Amino acid sequence: MKGTIRRHMKVVLALVLILGTAAAAAAEERIQLAILLDTSNSMDGLIAQAKSQLWKIVNELARAKRNGKTPTLEVALFEYGNDGLSADDGYIRMVSGLTTDLDRISDELFKLTTNGGSEYCGMVIDQAAKKLAWSPAKDVLKVMYVAGNEPFTQGPVDYRQSDSRAARKGIIVNTVFCGPYNEGVETAWKDGADRADGKYMSIDQDEAVAEIATPYDKEIVDLGNALNKTYVGYGRKGAELKSRQEAQDSNAVSAGPGAIVQRSVAKAQAAYTNEGWDLVDAVSGGVVDLKTIKEDELPAEMKKMTAAGREKYVKDLTAKRAELQGKITIANEKRRALVAEEMKKRAQQNTLDEAVLGSVREEAGKKGFDLR
């Protein structure tokens, strides 16, 4: 009898190990981030901070690792509280759904303007929870950031119900109040975070973001510019989206010297992928086969090449890109060390990027992601 029990126990343990291994293999290495920005009249400073710090936030999230893998990063963008938007939609607009196309997020962010308005936090949370393609997997980090400065209780949708619906989907709702901490507590911004396992933060939207120059900045930007030459637009929108990439460099320059450095670093990260229009990424990702791609989808410089010539052209660009990305990564690690030392000497900033990164590191850690 005891021998039979032992055999059964061995079978059960074996099944547990098999199932555990299968579950680990099936883990979805993904981070989904939705940014919900108040674009009413008083929020110019908030939008400016978002523009200048987008790539810093992306870069920190792109450092994440779990089970030795780099997760897919998807970002979505909503605006709310803008009287230029439809009243029928609660003055809310889904600017972009969850996407890995980070240039699209940058492009749309730089188009935002302020106007109005009527700020319905409960309603924008509800729309983001319903409209975005949130993963059903429990191990995916799903995070919203709602930033604004009017009472959280405004609008036709009760934020408590919105929080509850978001939490049932495993979505963490963090709130960022643009104003004094206690005022945000009194106007339910803290409660809005607490009810969906999030963190409440207050920031000074008009505080200038610290720009810490380092000896590595010019090198990183120059390498980023060289990296652009390794992108090859293909298909119907290839040329257009390559131009959009260059436009986002210009947008980053306009947002400040730190922003273009961070954007250059972003282009060296695995999270920055353009398989939909860049032939190098598309071939590396298995989206396009050079042997079967139609000639009219190729850029002009490749149409006259032989099949072997096309293979070599893309292979050489792939190698050059990897070399440049490696150099950017090395320079950036040195830059990060210098910036970290300098930041120790300064008071902590009360800005959007610090609010987002401080909380998301903690929340990512709970899901097993390492953002060091």
Side-chain angles (χ1 to χ4, degrees), residues 227-278:
L227 200 57
N228 280 359
K229 297 176 183 177
T230 68
Y231 286 86
V232 182
Y234 76 94
R236 186 168 55 88
K237 289 196 169 184
E240 176 188 339
L241 295 181
K242 190 175 189 307
S243 294
R244 185 190 65 177
Q245 180 192 55
E246 294 164 357
Q248 299 326 299
D249 284 354
S250 296
N251 279 336
V253 169
S254 72
I260 186 56
V261 173
Q262 293 288 356
R263 171 158 169 80
S264 300
V265 171
K267 287 186 285 186
Q269 306 273 10
Y272 186 79
T273 181
N274 296 282
E275 293 177 350
W277 66 266
D278 168 53

Side-chain angles (χ1 to χ4, degrees), residues 223-234 242 245 264-285 313-329:
L223 288 167
N225 290 334
L227 200 57
N228 280 359
K229 297 176 183 177
T230 68
Y231 286 86
V232 182
Y234 76 94
K242 190 175 189 307
Q245 180 192 55
S264 300
V265 171
K267 287 186 285 186
Q269 306 273 10
Y272 186 79
T273 181
N274 296 282
E275 293 177 350
W277 66 266
D278 168 53
L279 202 53
V280 174
D281 277 346
V283 170
S284 298
Y313 184 67
V314 173
K315 184 178 179 181
D316 289 348
L317 286 175
T318 302
K320 184 62 176 178
R321 184 179 299 178
E323 177 192 348
L324 292 167
Q325 288 175 328
K327 289 180 178 179
I328 289 173
T329 299

Side-chain angles (χ1 to χ4, degrees), residues 185-200:
V185 173
E186 293 165 2
T187 51
W189 282 79
K190 185 176 186 303
D191 193 48
D194 291 344
R195 289 176 179 271
D197 299 321
K199 186 173 181 181
Y200 162 66

Side-chain angles (χ1 to χ4, degrees), residues 290-291 302 304-316:
L290 285 175
K291 294 184 179 69
M302 292 184 68
K304 296 180 181 179
M305 296 178 185
T306 63
R310 291 170 185 171
E311 293 276 357
K312 184 178 185 304
Y313 184 67
V314 173
K315 184 178 179 181
D316 289 348

